[in-house]
């Protein structure tokens, strides 16, 4: 066992105390006129992470002009023909600037500044300006953090290096998004079915008090696991002095099957049918529709031609999705995912000479479409919740339908629907086709025998304009499919945005015509809206009549105008108006030339998470006033709403409390929130140090209270009692989770699994326990053999440490004596080898060519030593080695039982001592100095070393015991006179300059 391990560990602790020692001496010389060279770390908005050499003189800092502007990528030049002149053009405004160090004059745009000889330093490699000059001339507010020796920058300028990084990150994000879509982490926490698992309770409690009576309402939704499936539904009730009642709605049990294409779920209880009309019923539903809604429908090709050597960017819904450079003929081609819903595809072309061309396309994919080759079905059997129109009985129902994706532009559906009180013999057969033509036009046809045929068409244009039209022809009158006794029905709508000058306008038209006996029904509406600054303006006209003249005005015709204003959050706006918007609306009756009503609405945010609203109205047609005022406050754990209403001198007050209660049975925690949780999932993530190695959280294990979980989808994250709770998850979904190791306070800890998949459990807090272990240490040596009798350690040799499990490679270097070590090595399987390019330079090979070993997952970290390589000439053969008598003697001595026993005991003591030091280090990272001292004392009891006493001294100093600290440091110096021991005075100075935690 060598002392290199002790050297590595002691350096870690001593650096915590002396890393600022250099700056304490710098401050001691702050009153001197000497120029002190200082190394400052310079980090700025993730775009810069460098070290800048500055000078400290007369209590101020001088920073290098050329180096800083080069890092910021700001234009900078030097002219020496007539003195020393620094000049250039500043940022995108290209503001000319000049700093003449010979005439002591500086200017930037309209700014002029006189300099003195104390404002700059001229050095061989750069020109150093006093730090405040950068702010006065350019608005770059530099500062120096004395404690951390860091150069800081604050500015509202668009720094070129940052803008460049934003563009790079935007494009790199594309690749990351592509990888995220394709993430397929192995599922470590699958579906966990339970006989009974308590979950969530959503509540909504209201009390309505009026002049005549009072009534209390409650609406609660429950969610739990039962018999391997999920249970959820609502219980509603009302109570007053006269009556009370309790009902249930959508109360059902569902058994989900996540890995079968034949059947995905079976539902029993209150649900809705999946036919042409969604009728509520009590019974059973069987389907193979995916539990996780489809997001991707197909792939879509966007291609075109433009200027050669142009940069082409593809935006999907205003988000950069891909980019490429055109070939010499100017062609570009993107293959992009086509998602459900409406997607906007925009092409931006940046030509080689600065041309900018934009092309747009919008594609709509309804959720009723299926990808090619997909088949979905639904089967519904049960009793209707409500009687059909014209009957007193609810009756039985049986329905079945299937949907088939024929191609990427055509989907077909067919089904049969039976209602006991409607169908006397055969059921009603249904069918339909949905088509997407030319990627823009949607058409669908739906038919039900002896009922109706319906045709729809719609399109969305590139400028977001849209047109839709629907026509229905009814074959017969019945209580299900034609309850209004219609003969024909036609509906249409148009939306069109346009500009008049710089004013954006939107026009929306809607019209419908229903043919029936004895009179037809016609309706239409026209709206025109715009935004002028912070004003939203809308005017509209609507009419409905029962005559043959579609445009004939009736007494229901109404014209209205509304104006909404959002108050800005500026210094010139009184604070009382911050977070407020006001809206006024007026309606007019054209046929009678009278006002219909006037309304005024005011809303303002209060208490950070509250809102107060006031609504005042006057109805002129029926001659009454109304007023309502309400306040809503979200307390995170619950939401409270109080509302007062007065109509026709009749008043009422409604008070409502709503929220949700979740119970984490595994950790015995209640989770309260104002957001509904029933029908969703949650996870309780517990990170812990697994001291007993059983991969389970048990007594003696240490909880890691850092929130270090990343999710590949949206979710609400919070912490309670050291457990990270992720709520608002979708049930039965697969989530990819990652451990953010940068958020773990102790950098020596690594998780057993850094990336893993999780299947969420419905209406339940899924327990996820992630064990952590200390990283390992490896140690070895590389020797070089020159001949049969001569060998020596060789420094500067590069070794590659290959993590076989994660397919990553780490580079190591040997010291001058050939030794090497590495720490913070995660558990796993490894291979270590020497860089073959260096072996080629030496005309040598290594024996062995590689070394394989494992780092075990141990709470105190694993130690792997004795990793040895011998570099020998390429023609070297092992049998050429001559065994000398001294080595034979030593070998024979080592083989004696007594020596082996002593050696094993020594190795065991040293290893245990090292493990105790690692535990001390972990305790130190957790700010538990007393516990760290206990571990160090136990280590010294096993194996006394200079490094151990040095560590004990450092810990005693941090604990405020300077006398004991000096005593242990003296003992360390007796063991090893060359060990580095800090001076008490220097440490005192460091402590004084440190900020309070």
């Amino acid at each position: 066992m060598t002392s290199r391990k002790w050297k590595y560990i002691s350096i870690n602790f001593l650096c915590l105390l002396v890393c600022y020692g250099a700056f304490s001496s710098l401050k001691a010389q702050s009153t001197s006129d000497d120029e002190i060279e200082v190394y400052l770390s310079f980090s700025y908005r993730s775009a810069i992470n460098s070290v800048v050499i500055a000078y400290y003189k007369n209590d101020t800092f001088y920073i290098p002009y050329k180096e800083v502007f080069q890092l910021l990528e700001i234009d900078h030049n030097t002219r020496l023909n007539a003195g020393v002149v620094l000049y250039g053009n500043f940022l995108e405004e290209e503001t000319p600037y000049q700093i003449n160090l010979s005439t002591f004059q500086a200017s930037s745009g309209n700014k002029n500044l006189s300099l003195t000889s104390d404002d700059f330093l001229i050095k061989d490699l750069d020109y150093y300006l006093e730090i405040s000059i950068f702010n006065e001339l350019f608005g770059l507010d530099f500062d120096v953090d004395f404690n951390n020796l860091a150069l800081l920058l604050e500015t509202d300028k668009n720094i070129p290096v940052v803008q460049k990084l934003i563009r790079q990150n935007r494009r790199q994000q594309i690749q990351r998004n592509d990888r995220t879509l394709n993430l397929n982490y192995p599922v470590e926490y699958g579906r966990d079915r339970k006989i009974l698992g308590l979950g969530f309770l959503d509540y909504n409690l209201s009390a309505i008090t009026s002049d005549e009576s009072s009534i209390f309402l409650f609406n609660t939704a429950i969610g739990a696991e039962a018999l391997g499936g999920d249970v959820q539904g609502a219980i509603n009730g009302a109570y007053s002095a006269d009556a009370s009642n309790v009902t249930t709605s959508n109360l059902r049990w569902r058994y989900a099957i996540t890995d079968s294409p034949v059947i995905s779920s079976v539902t029993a209880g209150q649900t809705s049918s999946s036919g042409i009309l969604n009728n509520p019923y009590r019974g059973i539903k069987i389907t193979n529709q995916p539990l996780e809604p489809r997001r991707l429908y197909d792939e879509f090709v966007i291609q075109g031609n433009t200027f050669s050597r142009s940069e082409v960017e593809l935006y999907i819904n205003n988000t950069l999705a891909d980019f490429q450079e055109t070939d010499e003929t100017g062609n570009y081609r993107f293959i992009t995912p086509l998602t459900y819903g409406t997607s906007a595809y925009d092409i931006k072309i940046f030509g080689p000479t600065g041309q900018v061309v934009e092309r747009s396309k919008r594609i709509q994919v309804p959720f009723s479409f299926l990808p090619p080759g997909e088949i979905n079905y639904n089967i519904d059997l049960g009793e209707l919740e409500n009687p059909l129109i014209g009957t007193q009985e609810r009756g039985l129902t049986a329905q079945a339908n299937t949907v088939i994706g024929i191609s990427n532009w055509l989907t077909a559906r067919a089904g049969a629907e039976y209602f006991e009180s409607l169908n006397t013999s055969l059921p009603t057969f249904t069918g339909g086709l949905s088509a997407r033509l030319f990627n823009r036009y949607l058409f669908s046809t739906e038919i039900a025998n002896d009922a109706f045929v319906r045709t729809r068409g719609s399109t969305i244009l590139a400028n977001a304009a849209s047109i839709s039209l629907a026509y229905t022809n009814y074959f017969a009158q019945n209580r299900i499919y034609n309850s209004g006794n219609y003969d024909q029905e036609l509906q249409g709508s148009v939306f069109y945005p346009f500009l008049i000058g710089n004013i954006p306008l939107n026009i929306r038209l809607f019209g419908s015509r229903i043919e029936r006996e004895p009179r037809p029904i016609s309706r239409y509406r026209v709206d025109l809206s715009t935004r002028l600054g912070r004003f939203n303006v809308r005017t509209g006209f609507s009419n409905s009549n029962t005559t043959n003249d579609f445009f004939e005005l009736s007494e229901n015709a109404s014209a209205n105008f509304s104006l909404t204003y959002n108050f800005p959050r500026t210094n010139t706006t009184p604070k009382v108006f911050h977070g407020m918007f006001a809206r006024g609306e007026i309606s007019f009756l054209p046929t009678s030339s009278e006002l219909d009503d006037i309304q005024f609405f005011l809303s303002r945010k209060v208490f950070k998470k509250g809102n107060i609203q006031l609504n005042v109205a006057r109805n002129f047609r029926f001659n009454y006033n109304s007023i309502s005022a309400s306040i809503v406050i979200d307390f995170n754990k619950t939401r409270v709403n109080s509302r007062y209403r007065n109509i026709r001198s009749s008043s009422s007050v409604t008070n409502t409390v709503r929220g949700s209660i979740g119970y984490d049975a595994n950790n015995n925690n209640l989770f309260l929130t104002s957001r509904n949780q029933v029908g969703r999932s949650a996870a309780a993530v517990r990170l812990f140090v697994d001291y007993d190695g059983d991969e389970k959280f048990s007594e003696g294990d240490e909880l890691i209270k850092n929130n270090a979980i990343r999710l590949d989808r949206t979710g609400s994250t919070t912490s309670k009692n050291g457990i990270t709770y992720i709520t608002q998850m979708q049930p039965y979904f697969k989530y990819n989770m990652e451990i953010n190791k940068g958020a773990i306070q102790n950098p020596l800890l690594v998780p057993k699994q850094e990336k893993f998949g999780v299947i969420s459990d419905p209406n339940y807090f899924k327990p996820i326990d992630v064990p952590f272990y200390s990283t390992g240490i490896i140690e070895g040596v590389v020797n070089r053999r020159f001949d049969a009798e001569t060998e020596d350690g060789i420094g500067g040799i590069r070794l590659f440490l290959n993590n076989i499990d994660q397919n990553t490679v780490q580079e190591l270097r040997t010291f001058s004596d050939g030794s090497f070590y590495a720490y913070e090595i995660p558990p796993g399987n490894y291979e270590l080898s020497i860089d073959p390019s260096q072996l080629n330079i030496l005309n040598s090979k290594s024996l062995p060519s590689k070394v394989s070993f494992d780092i075990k997952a141990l709470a105190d970290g694993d130690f792997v030593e004795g990793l040895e390589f011998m570099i020998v000439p390429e023609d070297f053969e092992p049998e050429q080695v001559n065994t000398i008598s001294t080595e034979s003697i030593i070998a024979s001595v080592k083989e004696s039982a007594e020596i082996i026993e002593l050696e094993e005991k020594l190795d065991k003591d040293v290893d245990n001592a090292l493990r105790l030091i690692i535990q001390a280090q972990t305790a130190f990272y957790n700010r538990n100095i007393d516990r760290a001292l206990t571990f160090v004392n136990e280590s010294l009891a096993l194996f006394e070393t200079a490094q151990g006493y040095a560590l004990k001294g450092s810990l005693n100093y941090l604990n405020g015991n300077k006398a004991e600290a000096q005593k242990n440091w003296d003992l360390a110096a007796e063991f090893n006179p060359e060990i580095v021991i800090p001076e008490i005075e220097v440490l005192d100075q460091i402590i004084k300059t440190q900020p309070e935690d």
Side-chain angles (χ1 to χ4, degrees), residues 28-221:
Q29 301 180 54
S30 63
T31 59
S32 170
D33 291 336
D34 295 337
E35 300 166 2
I36 301 174
E37 192 177 73
V38 184
Y39 289 80
L40 301 176
S41 63
F42 181 31
S43 298
Y44 182 64
R45 294 183 61 177
S46 301
I48 300 174
N49 187 12
S50 183
V51 175
V52 172
I53 300 176
Y55 283 90
Y56 187 72
K57 179 182 178 182
N58 297 332
D59 292 328
T60 190
F61 281 91
Y62 296 79
I63 58 178
Y65 156 78
K66 291 197 298 184
E67 183 178 2
V68 167
F69 271 29
Q70 181 177 356
L71 289 171
L72 299 176
E73 296 190 5
I74 297 174
D75 183 38
H76 60 284
N77 303 278
T78 305
R79 187 169 56 241
L80 303 176
N81 55 354
V84 179
V85 179
L86 316 178
Y87 70 97
N89 295 310
F90 190 66
L91 302 187
E92 68 268 18
E93 298 89 357
E94 295 190 345
T95 304
Y97 70 87
Q98 178 175 289
I99 305 172
N100 194 320
L101 302 183
S102 301
T103 62
F104 301 99
Q105 295 297 318
S107 64
S108 176
N110 296 326
K111 297 179 182 178
N112 294 289
L113 186 65
S114 296
L115 307 177
T116 69
S117 58
D118 292 331
D119 288 332
F120 59 87
L121 302 173
I122 299 178
K123 299 297 180 181
D124 293 334
L125 300 178
D126 213 327
Y127 304 92
Y128 290 76
L129 303 180
E130 199 272 326
I131 196 169
S132 63
I133 292 177
F134 288 90
N135 189 23
E136 295 179 31
L137 274 183
F138 307 112
L140 303 176
D141 187 9
F142 284 102
D143 195 8
V144 173
D145 182 349
F146 282 82
N147 294 322
N148 297 305
L149 290 180
L151 180 64
L152 310 176
L153 171 61
E154 290 187 7
T155 183
D156 57 359
K157 305 292 184 182
N158 291 326
I159 302 301
V161 68
V162 176
Q163 299 304 311
K164 180 179 179 180
L165 179 66
I166 291 173
R167 292 193 299 271
Q168 291 175 347
N169 288 344
R170 187 178 62 183
R171 294 183 174 183
Q172 290 173 0
Q173 184 65 38
I174 301 169
Q175 300 169 345
R176 286 196 291 267
N177 287 343
D178 288 343
R179 289 195 298 269
T180 300
L181 288 174
N182 297 321
L183 284 180
N184 191 24
Y185 295 162
V187 176
E188 299 292 340
Y189 303 88
R191 175 76 176 95
D192 185 14
R193 301 185 185 274
K194 298 173 181 60
I195 299 299
L196 179 64
L198 300 179
F200 306 130
L201 171 68
D202 298 339
Y203 60 88
N204 191 321
L205 310 176
S206 299
I208 304 174
T209 304
S210 64
D211 298 334
E212 296 81 13
S213 63
S214 296
I215 184 171
F216 300 93
L217 307 174
F218 70 88
N219 182 313
T220 59

Side-chain angles (χ1 to χ4, degrees), residues 551-678:
F551 295 101
E552 180 179 337
L553 296 183
S554 71
E555 63 179 9
N556 294 320
S558 174
N560 56 71
F561 174 83
S562 67
L563 183 67
T564 304
Y565 181 76
N566 291 280
F567 290 85
R569 293 178 177 271
T570 61
N571 295 331
T572 58
T573 304
K575 288 188 176 181
V576 68
F577 295 111
H578 287 189
M580 177 185 294
F581 79 88
R583 184 177 72 242
E585 185 173 344
I586 185 170
S587 297
F588 181 75
L589 302 174
T591 54
S592 60
S593 299
E594 295 177 345
L595 287 175
D596 185 10
D597 63 36
I598 294 178
Q599 295 187 48
F600 178 75
F601 179 82
L602 189 68
S603 176
R604 187 186 188 280
K605 291 183 178 181
V606 292
F607 309 127
K608 293 184 178 180
K609 290 191 176 182
N611 186 274
I612 188 170
Q613 298 178 352
L614 175 67
N615 189 77
V616 180
R618 169 67 180 177
N619 189 300
F620 294 95
R621 185 189 299 190
F622 299 102
N623 194 28
Y624 70 86
N625 299 324
S626 66
I627 183 173
S628 68
S630 65
I631 182 170
V632 180
I633 301 178
D634 190 344
F635 293 102
N636 290 329
K637 296 183 178 181
T638 190
R639 178 175 294 182
V640 178
N641 182 1
S642 295
R643 183 179 183 182
Y644 167 80
R645 297 185 66 184
N646 183 291
I647 300 178
R648 292 190 176 94
S649 301
S650 177
S651 300
S652 66
V653 176
T654 303
N655 293 297
T656 302
V657 179
R658 57 169 295 186
S660 181
I661 302 172
Y663 178 63
D664 177 13
N666 298 282
N667 300 292
N668 196 28
N669 278 337
L670 278 179
F671 189 87
L672 307 180
T673 177
S674 61
R675 303 179 65 181
N676 289 342
Q677 298 183 93
V678 171

